[in-house]
Amino acid sequence: MQKQTGENPSLPRFSFGISAPPPCFKVSSALAKPAIDKVAGTKDSSSIVTDVSSTERRENTHLFTFPAAQPNLESQWRDMEWTEEQKTSLMKTVSSYKPSSGEVSQVLLLGPVGSGKSSFISSVQSVFNGRVTNRAMVGSSSTSFTKKLQSFNIHGQNGEDPTRLVLCDMVGLGGGEMTGLTLHDIMSVIKGHAPEGHKFSPDQPVRSETVGYVKRPSLKDKIHCVAFVVDASKILTYPKGLSTTFQQLREHISDLGVHQVALLTHIDKICSETDKDLTQVYKSHIIRDMMGKAAALLGMSTSYIIPVRNYSSELDLDVNTDVLLLSAVDHILQYADLYFQDNTPQNTGPKID
């Protein structure tokens, strides 16, 4: 990847609602503060992705309470077929997908600690494995279990060649000062500079001296779509500043021409009817309303947001869960392919020998 200008950590820092941090890149604990600093409009990629203070974490640990029960809609507000045939069709679509570049589609999952990024990767791979497996290590604490940049090729069914989809996992936003995640590091990953396996540290941001640093990334090294992951059961209790963080992240990512979508996880925790019968997801008032709140949090239209249920305690696959997961993957690939259409050189004239 080519060395980018404006990535010098000594430059003024892009602020997520806080004053400029010291040069050591220590993570601030001011995520809940509104973004009112004048520097918030600057484009410096060495700023800090702020954290949730311990006080606010304690305040936000109460359990989600179900809204008053409402009868489900008579018809789905998004068309969805819940059949084995639909599952097979979606699997074929994902397996046969080939990006315009002929390489792979790399999708970066970004979201708060515990939102379900690693679980989504494992769940998608489980669908193709034909059994529930935890390929991406999943934690259960309030701190991010994922500490480094990891890429997972989604393999086809029955030992077939890998699909052209690569899901990239990295440390979650927030969750303690040792996450060390900065806007600079996030942008380095998206631009393709960060090496596979890089362990994020507040004192060691990704830079040209980093071991394995990709100085001149090719198209295949870069991220082609970003999928934000948010927990439906925590939407109402996320700190206020998180919305500013998401929307400022989206602005910087959009400047790179990278499209973004969103996954709304843990939908079974907010709607008891959907928990009992997943086919009710697009008939649920509760989930439709929560998708609207997620859209406001992220600053995007609900058309970019897909509700999913990851595998967690289950030992066997469920066709409805699989259909919803595969629909999310199909949705992601559509936007990833837009990146290739926008960034692959087109032959506009006759070939000259």
Side-chain angles (χ1 to χ4, degrees):
M1 301 172 65
Q2 294 180 348
K3 190 171 183 179
Q4 302 290 328
T5 59
E7 291 185 355
N8 186 346
S10 65
L11 294 176
R13 281 144 178 84
F14 178 85
S15 175
F16 284 93
I18 57 173
S19 57
C24 63
F25 288 90
K26 289 251 180 151
V27 177
S28 168
S29 58
L31 182 59
K33 296 182 180 180
I36 57 175
D37 287 353
K38 293 181 180 179
V39 294
T42 65
K43 298 289 184 179
D44 181 14
S45 61
S46 60
S47 62
I48 303 301
V49 174
T50 50
D51 186 26
V52 185
S53 68
S54 57
T55 300
E56 187 151 11
R57 283 198 297 270
R58 287 195 298 270
E59 292 175 352
N60 289 336
T61 54
H62 61 274
L63 297 177
F64 180 87
T65 55
F66 288 100
Q70 302 180 61
N72 282 349
L73 299 170
E74 292 185 5
S75 59
Q76 299 183 110
W77 46 275
R78 274 186 186 169
D79 290 334
M80 182 72 72
E81 294 181 25
W82 304 95
T83 63
E84 283 283 357
E85 291 76 16
Q86 177 68 356
K87 172 184 172 179
T88 300
S89 175
L90 286 167
M91 289 184 71
K92 183 177 180 180
T93 297
V94 175
S95 297
S96 61
Y97 166 78
K98 293 182 180 179
S100 304
S101 69
E103 297 289 346
V104 296
S105 286
Q106 294 206 118
V107 178
L108 177 65
L109 303 181
L110 272 180
V113 172
S115 57
K117 303 184 305 298
S118 300
S119 293
F120 177 74
I121 294 173
S122 291
S123 296
V124 171
Q125 187 60 73
S126 294
V127 176
F128 285 95
N129 284 348
R131 65 182 186 279
V132 177
T133 56
N134 289 319
R135 188 176 177 201
M137 301 296 287
V138 179
S140 58
S141 65
S142 60
T143 58
S144 183
F145 192 84
T146 303
K147 303 295 184 184
K148 59 185 180 180
L149 179 63
Q150 294 178 286
S151 301
F152 296 89
N153 287 84
I154 302 303
H155 291 272
Q157 198 171 22
N158 301 322
E160 296 175 359
D161 292 336
T163 67
R164 299 295 180 93
L165 172 64
V166 176
L167 297 178
C168 303
D169 199 7
M170 65 186 297
V171 63
L173 304 177
E177 294 186 359
M178 293 310 294
T179 59
L181 189 60
T182 65
L183 176 63
H184 168 84
D185 284 346
I186 293 173
M187 301 309 288
S188 294
V189 171
I190 295 173
K191 293 175 182 178
H193 291 300
E196 174 73 11
H198 175 75
K199 189 172 183 179
F200 298 95
S201 166
D203 299 320
Q204 296 180 343
V206 177
R207 54 181 63 182
S208 58
E209 295 80 14
T210 299
V211 176
Y213 182 87
V214 183
K215 294 183 179 180
R216 295 179 177 82
S218 63
L219 189 62
K220 68 180 179 62
D221 297 316
K222 300 178 181 181
I223 294 298
H224 311 124
C225 180
V226 171
F228 288 101
V229 185
V230 291
D231 183 342
S233 69
K234 296 179 181 177
I235 292 290
L236 301 181
T237 58
Y238 277 138
K240 296 178 181 178
L242 185 58
S243 180
T244 300
T245 297
F246 274 136
Q247 294 184 38
Q248 293 177 355
L249 272 171
R250 292 195 61 236
E251 179 184 349
H252 281 258
I253 295 169
S254 294
D255 286 345
L256 297 179
V258 178
H259 294 270
Q260 301 131 59
V261 299
L263 303 175
L264 185 67
T265 61
H266 298 124
I267 55 173
D268 48 316
K269 292 184 179 180
I270 66 169
C271 178
S272 57
E273 292 300 314
T274 300
D275 183 27
K276 291 184 290 186
D277 180 4
L278 193 58
T279 65
Q280 299 300 302
V281 59
Y282 287 128
K283 293 183 179 181
S284 169
H285 285 282
I286 295 172
I287 290 178
R288 186 171 65 173
D289 291 345
M290 200 58 68
M291 286 181 65
K293 290 179 172 59
L297 175 73
L298 293 162
M300 63 169 57
S301 167
T302 53
S303 63
Y304 295 100
I305 302 175
I306 300 293
V308 295
R309 181 169 68 182
N310 293 329
Y311 286 110
S312 55
S313 60
E314 300 87 351
L315 296 178
D316 299 308
L317 296 180
D318 169 71
V319 63
N320 296 327
T321 301
D322 294 349
V323 166
L324 204 55
L325 287 165
L326 290 167
S327 296
V329 173
D330 183 48
H331 183 74
I332 289 171
L333 289 176
Q334 291 179 40
Y335 285 98
D337 211 49
L338 289 178
Y339 179 90
F340 293 111
Q341 294 178 31
D342 295 339
N343 292 276
T344 301
Q346 302 293 322
N347 294 321
T348 57
K351 183 177 180 181
I352 301 177
D353 293 329

